Amino acid sequence: EIVMTQSPATLSVSPGERATLSCRASQSVSSNLVWYQQKPGQAPRLLIYGASTRATGVPARFSGSGSGTEFTLTISSLQSEDFAVYYCQQYNDRPPWTFGQGTKVEIK
Amino acid sequence: EVQLVESGGGLVKPGRSLRLSCTTSGFTFGDFAMSWFRQAPGRGLEWVSFIRSKAYGETSEYAASVKGRFTLSRDDSKSIAYLQMNGLKTDDTAVYYCTRGYRRGDYWGQGILVTVSS
């Protein structure tokens, strides 16, 4: 099973600032990685798939990069609605698909 | 508009069974694989299972934690996916989400709570 590790666990950021979230895989997942955003009491929302492709309707301030074992989600200028928990998930080759433990982005 | 609505959750005793339904609309159900994920209270997300479309044999895959106890099926005529959960354990307590697709969830239901407790 591929283990996904996200860092940091919590990120304190002021509105308007840049946020950089990291996700590391225990072995290469190529570009088979997605990022989700989850707000309290809500279902996750797909943000990025294929490591760097924004899902439909996702603002351009969200960008994903990386391949292999190292991935990054960048939010260029945090808006109030972006404070949430972010998860990465790999879907490389064969299941099980696995998630990172999440990064909580909170208001500084 | 794509919609997925889970139902069938609730409180159940350990060892008992429960069947979740995922009723969908807004897309051609038969063309897509369907998946289930879950989230234990205060915890992260976990993939549970997916079922491929009929074109790919309607085969299914399961997480090790549920294999042999959970069965995912689909009724393309009704646009519904079913998750039959047998031999439930307290560790199965979670919000269960159905999603469209099998690698990633591009559309998610609102989730349904399953509580396994004596």
Side-chain angles (χ1 to χ4, degrees), chain A residues 3 28-29 34 49 58 61 79 81 84 87 89 91 93 95-96 108:
Chain A
V3 177
S28 177
V29 298
V34 296
Y49 62 93
V58 175
R61 63 181 181 273
Q79 306 298 302
E81 62 266 30
Y87 294 95
Q89 177 224 318
Y91 54 92
D93 193 24
K108 186 174 182 179

Side-chain angles (χ1 to χ4, degrees), chain B residues 73-87:
Chain B
S73 61
R74 60 190 298 151
D75 185 335
D76 290 356
S77 68
K78 296 181 179 179
S79 300
I80 299 176
Y82 300 101
L83 184 65
Q84 178 68 41
M85 305 185 294
N86 298 332

Side-chain angles (χ1 to χ4, degrees), chain A residues 32 34 36 38 41-46 49-50 56 87 89-91 94-101, chain B residues 35 37 39 43-47 50 52 61-64 97 102-111:
Chain A
N32 297 313
V34 296
Y36 298 102
Q38 188 178 33
Q42 296 186 16
R45 171 196 180 195
L46 178 66
Y49 62 93
T56 303
Y87 294 95
Q89 177 224 318
Q90 65 80 21
Y91 54 92
R94 295 180 58 81
W97 314 144
T98 50
F99 287 83
Q101 77 279 20
Chain B
S35 298
F37 295 83
Q39 186 169 36
R43 306 294 295 274
L45 295 162
E46 179 187 15
W47 169 74
F50 69 73
R52 298 176 177 88
E61 304 283 349
Y62 299 91
Y97 297 100
Y102 79 99
R103 291 196 181 103
R104 60 181 185 263
D106 58 354
Y107 290 93
W108 293 62
Q110 83 286 354

